[in-house]
């Protein structure tokens, strides 16, 4: 996934909208997700987006929000730091970050082949894996500045 700090930095860099994000912790079960989401929405009516750290929590929240008649993205936006196939197969699909392990695997194999052929010396330089943003259909439009808090 992507860290909250990196996410907020990117958001501030590119967003033109008023966004009030609440970071939702991972919950163990569906009941806990529902209770947490309801508490957030009850205590702060100005929340425009929920940022989930893990896909199962986001999936439970999206289905619950839809069940209660809240429109995504009309009433609230949903973003997830972690990709999961079910997030792409629900409607609306959830904006998330995807780690492309196939691309990483290709990079590692390429470096290994170069090293084994003797054309490149081994390096202690770390290989960064940068997640790809998957926009989904769960982000709405609002106007103003950006704020965030964790629950």
């Amino acid at each position: 996934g992507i860290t909250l700090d990196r996410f907020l930095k990117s958001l501030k860099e590119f967003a033109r909208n008023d966004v009030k994000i609440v970071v939702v912790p991972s919950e163990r079960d569906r009941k806990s997700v529902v209770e947490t989401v309801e508490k957030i929405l009850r205590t702060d009516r100005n929340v425009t987006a929920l940022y989930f750290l893990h896909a199962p929590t986001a999936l439970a929240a999206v289905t619950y929000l839809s069940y209660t008649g809240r429109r995504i993205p009309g009433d609230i936006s949903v973003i997830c730091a972690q990709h999961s196939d079910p997030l792409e197969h629900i409607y609306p699909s959830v904006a998330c970050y995807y780690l492309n392990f196939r691309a990483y695997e290709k990079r590692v194999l390429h470096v290994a082949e170069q090293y084994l052929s003797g054309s490149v010396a081994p390096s202690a330089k770390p290989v960064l894996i940068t997640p790809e943003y998957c926009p989904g259909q769960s982000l709405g439009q609002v106007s103003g500045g950006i704020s965030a808090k964790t629950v």
Side-chain angles (χ1 to χ4, degrees), residues 3-13 15 17-25 40-41 44-53 76-81 97 133 138-140 142 145-151:
T3 66
L4 178 61
D5 291 339
R6 285 185 58 205
F7 170 74
L8 292 175
K9 181 181 176 190
S10 296
L11 185 63
K12 287 178 183 178
E13 202 172 304
N17 304 323
D18 177 23
V19 178
K20 184 167 186 183
I21 300 170
V22 175
V23 179
V24 182
I40 290 166
L41 297 176
D44 191 344
R45 299 203 186 279
N46 295 321
V47 171
T48 58
L50 297 173
Y51 180 86
F52 295 92
L53 301 175
I76 194 159
S77 294
V78 174
I79 309 152
C80 189
Y97 291 87
Y133 174 65
S138 63
L139 300 180
V142 287
I146 297 170
S147 65
K149 69 176 184 177
T150 58
V151 178

